[in-house]
Amino acid sequence: MSPTDYLTTLTWRYACKKFDPTAKIAPDVMQALEESLRLAPSSIGLQPWHFVMVHDQSVKKSLRAISKDQAQVEDCSCYAVLCALRQPSVDDVECCIARIAEVRQPSPEKLAGSRAFYTQVIESLGDQVGVWAEHQVYLALGFLLNAAALLRVDSCTIGSMDGPKCDMLLGLDKGPYRVVLGVALGYRSANDAYALEAKVRFPREAVIEER
C-alpha cells in the first residue's frame, strides 16, 4: 500500500452514525479485526485487557438500551466491547511471565529479570494501576479502528454507556475485567448523511511540529 492509498483510507473513515443492519462482516474479515486487538501493543506487554465480540442481536439490543439508546450498537454487524483489568496485580504479571516462557523460552535468569521489572512497574503505579490498564485499552482501540479502515469496515466508537450495567449484562461484574468502551463494526447505510460530510481536522501546521 502506498502512502497515498493509506491516507485515502484514513480520509474514507468516519464515525459511522447509521449502519446497514443487513450487511454482515465476512468471517475472515472478522478474524482479522479480532487479531488486530490481540496483536495490539501495551505497556510492558502486559495486555491488561479482554474483548467481547457481540454478534447476538438480542444482546446488542440490550446493550443499546444502556448506551444512551445509540442505534449503532444494535444495527452494526458486530459490537466489540473493550474491557480492562480492574486492578492489575502481581498475579497478572505471573500470567504474562508464563506466556513469555512458553513462547520465547528464555533463560531462567532473563525470565527472572523480566518478572522483577514487570512487578516493579505494577507496584510503582499504586492506586493508579487501574487507570494505567484503561489507557492500554485505548491503544487496542486505535489498532482496531485502523484495521477496520484498511479492511473497509465502518466503525463507531461508543463511550456513552452505563459501565456497571454493561458489566452485569455481559457477566463481567464479578470478574477481573470491566467495560471501558465499545466499537460498532459493520457497513454504512446508503442514507447516512454523515458519510458525505467533509472531515474536520486542524491543519498540519497547527498540530505537527518539526525539529
Side-chain angles (χ1 to χ4, degrees):
M1 172 177 281
S2 70
T4 299
D5 289 340
Y6 180 63
L7 293 176
T8 298
T9 297
L10 294 187
T11 302
W12 169 87
R13 192 214 70 83
Y14 75 111
C16 184
K17 297 298 188 291
K18 190 171 185 180
F19 285 90
D20 177 356
T22 67
K24 302 301 180 183
I25 300 172
D28 61 334
V29 175
M30 196 66 241
Q31 183 179 12
L33 292 172
E34 292 172 354
E35 283 294 283
S36 77
L37 289 168
R38 191 181 70 85
L39 296 172
S42 62
S43 178
I44 68 172
L46 195 66
Q47 306 160 71
W49 50 42
H50 183 73
F51 309 111
V52 182
M53 313 304 283
V54 183
H55 302 273
D56 186 279
Q57 204 59 36
S58 63
V59 178
K60 288 191 290 182
K61 183 175 182 179
S62 296
L63 285 167
R64 173 181 177 174
I66 52 179
S67 301
K68 305 291 186 183
D69 194 36
Q70 295 176 84
Q72 300 99 308
V73 177
E74 182 178 0
D75 293 341
C76 65
S77 176
C78 174
Y79 186 59
V81 182
L82 281 56
C83 310
L85 278 171
R86 298 177 188 275
Q87 201 74 9
S89 68
V90 174
D91 288 341
D92 299 300
V93 169
E94 288 302 321
C95 287
C96 189
I97 290 297
R99 182 60 174 161
I100 291 172
E102 178 184 2
V103 174
R104 294 180 176 171
Q105 300 179 347
S107 67
E109 294 77 17
K110 187 171 183 178
L111 198 62
S114 297
R115 176 183 287 108
F117 174 70
Y118 289 9
T119 299
Q120 187 275 327
V121 170
I122 294 302
E123 291 180 342
S124 70
L125 290 166
D127 59 7
Q128 292 299 303
V129 69
V131 176
W132 171 86
E134 181 175 320
H135 288 171
Q136 308 317 304
V137 171
Y138 284 91
L139 293 177
L141 167 66
F143 259 51
L144 176 60
L145 295 181
N146 193 63
L150 290 169
L151 293 166
R152 281 298 196 269
V153 174
D154 287 298
S155 62
C156 184
T157 304
I158 305 293
S160 298
M161 60 181 68
D162 188 320
K165 286 185 179 179
C166 288
D167 288 346
M168 290 184 65
L169 179 62
L170 297 172
L172 301 170
D173 52 308
K174 293 179 173 60
Y177 298 97
R178 64 180 180 85
V179 172
V180 174
L181 49 83
V183 181
L185 298 164
Y187 298 99
R188 65 189 69 176
S189 170
N191 59 1
D192 184 358
Y194 284 91
L196 304 177
E197 295 282 348
K199 188 179 292 293
V200 178
R201 295 293 187 272
F202 290 115
R204 183 183 188 279
E205 60 270 19
V207 296
I208 297 177
E209 178 181 352
E210 304 282 1
R211 294 198 181 190

